[in-house]
Amino acid sequence: MIPAAFDYHAPTSLSEAVALLSKHGDTAKVLSGGQSLLPLLKLRLGQAGHLIDIGRIPGLEYIKEEGGMLRIGGRTRESALERSEVVRTRYPILLDTAQVIADPLVRNMATVGGNLAHGDPGNDHPATMLVLGAQVVATGPKAERVIPIDGFFVGLFTTALQPDEIVTEIRIPAPPARSGGAYVKFERKVGDYATAAAAAFVTLGASGLVERAGIALTNAGPKPVRSTAAEKLLTGRRPDAAALGEAARAAGQSATPSADRRGAADYKKEMAGVLALRALTKAVQRAGGR
Amino acid sequence: MKIDTTPEVSGMGHSMKRKEDPRFIRGKGNYVDDIQLPGMLYMDIVRSPFAHAKIKSINTEKALKIPGVLAVITGETLAKYNLHWMPTLMSDTQMVLPVEKVVYQSQEVAAVIATSRYIAADGVDAVEVDYEPLPVVVDPFKALEPGATVIRTDKKDKKDNHIFHWEVGDRAATEKAFAEAEVVVKQDCYIPRIHVASIETCGCIADFDRVNGKLTVYMTTQAPHAIRTVFALVAGHVGLSEERIRIISPDIGGGFGGKVPVYPGYVIATAASVVIGKPIKWIEDRMENLQADSFARDYWMKAELAAKKDGTITALRIKTLADHGCADAAANPSKFPAGLFSICTGSYDIKHAFAEVDGAYTNKPPGGVAYRCSFRVTEAVHMIERVTDILAQQLKMDPAELRLKNFIPKEKFPYQSALGWEYDSGDYARALKLAMERIGYPALRKEQAEKRARGELMGIGISSFTEIVGAGPSKHFDILGIKMFDSAEIRIHPTGKAIARFGTKSQGQGHETTYAQIIAEELGIPASAVQIEEGDTDTAPYGLGTYASRSTPTAGAAGAMAARKIREKAKKIAAHLLEVSPEDLVWETGKFSVRGAPQRSKTIQEIAFAAYTNHPQGMEAGLEAVCYYDPPNLTFPFGSYICVVDIDRGTGQVKIRRFMAVDDCGNIINPMIVDGQIHGGLSMGMAPALMEEISYDENGNVQGGSFMDYLVPTAMETPSWETDKTVTPSPHHPFGAKGVGESATVGAPPAIVNAVVDALSHLGVTHVEIPMTPERVWRILKEKGVAE
Ligand SMILES: Cc1cc2nc3c(=O)[nH]c(=O)nc-3n(C[C@H](O)[C@H](O)[C@H](O)COP(=O)(O)OP(=O)(O)OC[C@H]3O[C@@H](n4cnc5c(N)ncnc54)[C@H](O)[C@@H]3O)c2cc1C
């Protein structure tokens, strides 16, 4: 549990950090909360010649609603989400998510930007961000660019980020009226990655029909899974038990999990469906329909 | 229980706060890894990625080039001193470092000595080992088939993987009882391999002083004295002699049986220190601890219970295969290869019984330690409590009723069991009835019926266990020939305070408090004024250590007996001071007074002062005593646990809603500490029932070798335990106590399994193997068509 040697850099500005990343290219890694990166290095499963610690760069930790968006600074800690009033009252799905990530010790360090940038399908934020239609703001040597979440996750541990880009903000559209979201996770014990977990977000129209639906799964494939089939099934329907059940089954079908100590593939696939139903039911309740 | 001392004195029965806690709570404990010695070097270990492989070569060149790497020790290095093999406590042998081949994954292959822990790790990375994989034996049943790959090729005439056969009981009489039985139930049951996973891993600092020829080893060991003797016996030929070996067990962060054996790391560090002449620290990391150190359990049992139609149990038969890994490195008393498994008749009056156990070698780490259980009692209790429930199910009887019908009645104690034990005391019905009353058994059964009608899954499970602890009487109990007595030495200072040293070693049990309370009870000296020391072989009297719930039954008893010797001498001094004959004195806590004239008295403090300032002519000065206590029998704690579970039909997850534990450990020294032991034990009993398991794939790769996959429950998974007690003193123990540290680990798992089976019994389910993971339970729900 001791990493191989590396060089450590602690830049105090974004431009300095980006310059260091550009300079060291593939051998450099951004160090944020360190809760995913350091275990990899300690187990010597990964190696980095240079760690660029973004912890001393001012202005990367905030949560604010502005211009019809919730803006979360790239280095915002999970524990900050847990304590945030605006998250608790306006974005309960984010609170659901933050609360089931690891344990309080990890959450004091782990960051939202890191959780997405790691590209780990086992992380909990990706599914939530997929159903919320989030945007990831990345700052590189040239400029800032906005990456829609649907194009962000490329494959196992890979994202659309360039090696010299830093996630500086996550933007989430403010929820329209009669919307509700929920994240439900099933884990072997507290602090574990999900055996199965589902995020759901619904917006109901004036007639009580589903206007927009988002359903996504954690740890259900090589990258976070958004189930458009399930979303389609639900859109325009009354969110009754039958409709939710059908959508949840479709969501389960979109899972392609692999076997590990959390369970065999068939079990995890079934669980994805079970969890999708629980998340959908809660989301609809929160949207005020039933 | 009557309390005889004031809170100031805090003898038996007081919930005195633990004397050791201020230092632990403030982070001032002194664990092996806290110790820094001048010039200390660090060791890290190269481990095998293969479960069975020939070592073709070990290239240390690159490692030795790293600045700060001083040496790489291999099997060849140790072979020069004939230290590449060592004996196990079960008279088997185990590799320290391999010369020819490795026999389990994560086995020690070489050790790097460096000037820092970091450099040592880089050194490990740079050692190049060339392996040639050999066929792997994972399944113990296949290991015993003819033609199976022989693992222990080091043993000259060994042609198979069989370690031992052990049996107990009257086979013929048992067979006859089965032939005549009206009802017979059978069940196979596997108790998986698990790990103690103590919060502190194993480690040591070996410090050989070349000038004085003295070896000091700071070591995470539960049995420092026995280790010293083993070191003297094993390394005598290289000049280590017992008077020049000092083993120090500092504070220990949990042992649970895992810190009884000698691990290769201890031996390598010691050899390296002797060769290099500097102190060498070796501390395992968590994964090394889980993957290479002693495991527990791994018992494959087949049980049969014979009974009459009215539910009277008439006979029990169990056949077991024990997977010991690549060496029998259990830490049982030497004459008991299957430990105290013969307690398997449990709390029931069973006339005929027969049990047999065979041990097998496989390509897994060596061991079979008694994880928070007095040598295979957990396995035995699990089996009998399971088949008892199966019998109830078969006869459509309530499991509580069946138990009450078959309990050994309290008038029958001391009770001779069919498998040879003399149970000291018990009142099993009282404990079960109390548990049923506390949890509201009839109301729960009613609720269950209603829930069942609605399709909800709820179960109630009972376990009425009997433990066997306090090894043990020297007639039967020894480890490598050393009898399993234990010891205490008490010295009273002139001002009436005391220091007492014991042959045991606390690892969290609270000995510094409870031993002081025993002495306070016997002598009336406040427990706060009695300093307790253990764990330094240069100062403490010889003893066999702390495991198998033996400390109170053996060393605690020794403490009381030594205190009574002191009281005898104190009586003579008091008689001298009061100018009466000793026969005219009566003792009440803390003082002797003249019979009929209670105002004429001398306190223990006055007597202690006199022992150094004004002792009678012809009497030796001082006030101290030693006792080596050889227990006449073991003690048999017992209890009844009732568990209520709800099962999530969607995920298969089992939730413990309530758990009522009624324990009886005889007279109680410190109720708070006993409660703590029960709470911890219940959590450790829940763990294997629901979560923990170490398994291997077909290539012998360990699964569950880190805390990512070895699922130790946290406070979040642990229910709020409810506890109560009955008190049935041990008739042979000096103050009527029994061991308690392990009751809950032993008693809890079958209560939880019985509850889960009970929740599913209407679907025709009669057994569920552990750990009862959500997936395992969900597959049953799916098969029975009730999954959501
Ligand atoms: C015991 C334990 C349990 C855990 N359980 C869970 C869990 O249940 N659910 C869950 O979701 N997570 C879990 N985690 C992971 C934790 O949430 C991670 O810390 C998080 O996913 C990564 O955030 P970080 O800030 O720690 O990133 P780091 O570990 O610092 O970095 C992770 C990766 O992202 C890159 N990176 C980080 N920040 C940026 C940035 N701003 N811009 C560009 N690249 C960046 C790094 O270069 C690195 O490759 C667990 C971690 C631990 C240690």
Side-chain angles (χ1 to χ4, degrees), chain A residues 98-261:
Chain A
Q99 276 174 340
V100 295
I101 289 176
D103 51 53
L105 279 76
V106 172
R107 295 201 290 270
N108 284 337
M109 297 298 291
T111 65
V112 184
N115 198 292
L116 298 176
H118 196 47
D120 184 344
N123 278 358
D124 292 297
H125 274 304
T128 303
M129 297 298 175
L130 282 169
V131 302
L132 289 173
Q135 299 165 352
V136 179
V137 181
T139 305
K142 292 193 194 82
E144 194 179 277
R145 66 178 178 127
V146 176
I147 311 168
I149 197 75
D150 278 322
F152 186 77
F153 301 107
V154 176
L156 187 63
F157 297 117
T158 43
T159 66
L161 289 174
Q162 295 300 314
D164 54 4
E165 280 182 319
I166 294 175
V167 174
T168 44
E169 190 174 89
I170 295 100
R171 294 180 187 158
I172 296 167
R178 289 177 60 83
S179 294
Y183 186 68
V184 184
K185 177 176 176 178
F186 178 50
E187 55 190 3
R188 294 174 301 175
K189 65 177 270 194
V190 68
D192 191 20
Y193 291 91
T195 303
F201 188 83
V202 294
T203 302
L204 304 179
S207 57
L209 302 186
V210 176
E211 218 169 72
R212 184 174 96 71
I215 302 171
L217 307 170
T218 301
N219 239 353
K223 59 178 195 166
V225 174
R226 180 168 168 198
S227 180
T228 41
E231 292 171 0
K232 268 203 201 105
L233 263 169
L234 207 55
T235 311
R237 298 262 303 264
R238 188 161 301 285
D240 53 18
L244 297 188
E246 261 177 67
R249 267 192 298 282
Q253 284 311 310
S254 62
T256 56
S258 46
D260 61 12
R261 298 293 293 166

Side-chain angles (χ1 to χ4, degrees), chain A residues 1-4 43-44 186-190 192-193 261-264 266-267 270-271 274-275 278, chain B residues 117-118 122 125 285 287 648 650-651 653 691 695 703 708-709 711-712 714 717 774-775 778-779 782:
Chain A
M1 290 293 279
I2 289 179
L43 292 168
R44 299 196 180 210
F186 178 50
E187 55 190 3
R188 294 174 301 175
K189 65 177 270 194
V190 68
D192 191 20
Y193 291 91
R261 298 293 293 166
R262 293 185 185 81
D266 66 327
Y267 174 64
E270 293 258 7
M271 288 310 104
V274 168
L275 273 284
R278 291 179 186 185
Chain B
R117 182 71 189 78
Y118 285 74
D122 287 344
D125 226 25
D285 70 25
M287 287 166 74
D648 183 330
T651 61
Q653 188 167 43
M691 300 166 74
S695 58
Q703 316 287 300
M708 182 79 112
D709 283 315
L711 305 176
V712 178
T714 72
E717 286 77 39
E775 181 179 1
W778 178 83
R779 291 206 183 275
K782 190 89 180 154

Side-chain angles (χ1 to χ4, degrees), chain B residues 716-760:
Chain B
M716 299 298 287
E717 286 77 39
T718 308
S720 178
W721 308 111
E722 301 169 65
T723 60
D724 207 336
K725 59 176 172 286
T726 59
V727 176
T728 312
S730 168
H732 64 75
H733 185 272
F735 50 91
K738 300 181 176 186
V740 72
E742 303 167 332
S743 293
T745 340
V746 164
I752 303 170
V753 179
N754 287 346
V756 172
V757 174
D758 184 59
L760 306 170

Side-chain angles (χ1 to χ4, degrees), chain B residues 192-308:
Chain B
R193 184 176 271 242
I194 54 173
H195 199 283
V196 303
S198 51
I199 189 88
E200 180 203 29
T201 60
C202 294
C204 70
I205 303 171
D207 182 14
F208 183 67
D209 174 344
R210 275 186 174 165
V211 175
N212 297 308
K214 179 148 184 171
L215 173 71
T216 304
V217 189
Y218 304 85
M219 187 191 280
T220 49
T221 176
Q222 300 174 230
H225 301 275
I227 297 281
R228 184 187 69 195
T229 304
V230 169
F231 266 46
L233 294 174
V234 173
H237 65 281
V238 292
L240 281 180
S241 161
E242 195 163 2
E243 85 285 8
R244 278 184 277 149
I245 303 173
R246 180 182 187 186
I247 308 290
I248 299 175
S249 254
D251 283 329
I252 294 191
F256 309 110
K259 288 173 181 164
V260 177
V262 174
Y263 292 113
Y266 299 151
V267 179
I268 307 168
T270 302
S273 181
V274 171
V275 173
I276 298 172
K278 291 206 170 195
I280 292 181
K281 182 185 269 190
W282 166 66
I283 306 286
E284 296 173 318
D285 70 25
R286 177 60 57 191
M287 287 166 74
E288 294 180 288
N289 179 256
L290 287 174
Q291 295 179 10
D293 285 359
S294 326
F295 67 91
R297 324 287 189 243
D298 220 343
Y299 253 35
W300 301 82
M301 302 180 284
K302 289 174 184 296
E304 295 167 272
L305 203 57
K308 295 191 201 155

